[in-house]
């Protein structure tokens, strides 16, 4: 197989490889099925919301100034003059020393400027005793204080959250154009690799990688298949990759990405397309292969379990996000956390270490328990919530030092 070819730093791989890919397809979807998709449209608020002054409590609408000095001992008395019905307007005006029943969400009658909660009142025939002093607009959502016509609701390239869905529906928007999510085919390689449910010899390894990645991508909403497993046979590997490229937007392989005699990934990728990089200055995940075949992406992930998942997190996920139109496709720092142990970085490589996060509620600090064991083991990921990063220029992290945390 020979040597590594064309190493690059992570940012360079983002700029010179992942940036080459663009979202192509979009379609219309009901808003209540759009969660997690990326919007193809820029959508504006259609009407001011709420369109009326609205009560936040069940109680009586009145003029706040009339409650001045009110208490349990010295209540103020009002005349009850009517009641508001939900979803309806109210004709009459509230005058000084008058009170009108209003349910939560009901309209504030004109003239009134506050609502006293029913618990702070007592009804005596036609009259209401108020035990509490209110300030103007207490317990009222002011008209149009929520959204204004013309404000941006959703930008093109923004992911649809439940907050966006709620706001779209509140505006009467029930359909939205979103980008299609890319489809992913995952190929497992390695003569020692067997199916997870297989009887295996002492020296064989169960295929965790490809099924784990499938589970993760499926959970994130991508169309994903674990296509096949191939032994270290060049011709068969080549054929399976070609077939997968016909079918999927992105093809990912596991294993065989290093420089061993039977590591065919780079060679196979070079035969079907253009290899941009073979090797990333990161640990784990160094022997990752990045290729492009027409508009399709072909990524060769290393076989070691931690290297496989970390490289998938750092490169495959951003690629998929970019392909689905997400403008925020690069990995994002989720929090700054304190490392519970001192850690050594890999020389000349940006280092990522699986961690579990602990909350310390007393001092309001997040702590990270690192699992820096060999990336060829499965164990470091067992209890990991994500990874912390040691930048390229740093050689170590001291116990108690603050690190960037990236959540899986
Ligand atoms: N001479 C060098 N050797 C290696 C280098 C190097 O720079 N020079 N880099 C090392 C690094 S770093 C990594 S990471 C590995 C990656 O190697 P490969 O991608 O070729 O992976 P394999 O050799 O196929 O497998 C490595 C390891 O992972 C196990 N494996 C493979 N597939 C699966 C699977 N689907 N599920 C679970 N485990 C799997 C496999 O049995 C091996 O134990 O290269 C180093 N070598
Ligand atoms: O990059 Mo390897 O993935 O260091 O273990």
């Amino acid at each position: 197989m020979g040597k590594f070819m064309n190493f690059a730093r992570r940012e360079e791989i983002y700029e010179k490889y992942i940036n080459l890919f663009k979202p192509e397809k979009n379609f219309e979807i009901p808003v209540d099925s759009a969660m997690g998709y990326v919007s193809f449209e820029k959508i504006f608020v259609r009407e001011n919301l709420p369109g009326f002054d609205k009560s936040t409590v069940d109680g009586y609408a009145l003029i706040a100034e009339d409650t001045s000095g009110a208490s349990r001992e010295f209540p103020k008395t009002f005349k009850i003059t009517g009641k508001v019905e939900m979803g309806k307007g109210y004709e009459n005006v509230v005058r000084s020393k008058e009170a009108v029943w209003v349910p939560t969400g009901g309209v504030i009658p004109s003239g009134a400027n506050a609502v006293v909660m029913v618990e702070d009142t007592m009804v005596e025939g036609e009259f209401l005793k108020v035990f509490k002093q209110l300030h103007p607009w207490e317990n009222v959502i002011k008209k149009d204080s929520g959204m204004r016509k013309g404000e941006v609701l959703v930008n093109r390239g923004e992911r649809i959250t439940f907050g966006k869905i709620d706001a779209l529906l509140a505006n009467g928007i029930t359909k939205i154009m979103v980008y299609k999510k890319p489809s992913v085919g995952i190929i497992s390689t390695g003569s020692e690799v067997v199916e997870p449910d297989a009887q295996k010899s002492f020296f064989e390894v169960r295929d965790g990688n490809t099924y784990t990645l499938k589970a993760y991508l499926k959970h994130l909403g991508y169309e994903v298949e674990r296509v096949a497993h191939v032994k270290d046979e060049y011709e068969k590997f080549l054929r399976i990759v070609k077939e997968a490229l016909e079918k999927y937007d992105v093809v990912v392989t596991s294993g065989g990405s290093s420089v061993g005699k039977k590591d065919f990934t780079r060679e196979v990728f070079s035969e079907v397309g253009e290899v941009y990089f073979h090797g990333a200055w990161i640990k784990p995940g160094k022997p990752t292969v990045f290729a492009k075949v027409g508009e399709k992406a072909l990524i060769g992930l290393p076989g070691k379990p931690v290297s496989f998942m970390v490289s998938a997190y750092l490169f495959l996920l951003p690629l998929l996000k970019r392909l689905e139109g997400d403008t925020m496709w690069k990995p994002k720092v989720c929090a700054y956390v304190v490392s519970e142990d001192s850690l050594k970085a890999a020389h000349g490589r940006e280092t990522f270490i699986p961690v579990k996060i602990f909350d310390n509620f007393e001092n309001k600090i997040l702590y990270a328990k690192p699992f820096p064991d060999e990336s060829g083991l499965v164990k470091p990921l067992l209890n990991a919530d994500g990874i912390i990063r040691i930048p390229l220029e740093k050689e170590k992290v001291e116990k108690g030092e603050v690190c960037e945390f990236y959540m899986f």
Side-chain angles (χ1 to χ4, degrees), residues 282-287 302 304 306-308 349 374-376:
I282 60 165
K283 182 185 168 68
K286 180 178 77 170
K304 292 186 186 178
V306 181
S307 316
F308 179 84
R349 291 199 266 167
E374 226 309 297
S375 52

Side-chain angles (χ1 to χ4, degrees), residues 80-94:
I80 302 169
T81 56
K83 64 174 178 189
V84 167
E85 304 278 353
M86 280 302 263
K88 296 209 170 127
Y90 187 79
E91 293 292 306
N92 300 330
V93 175
V94 173

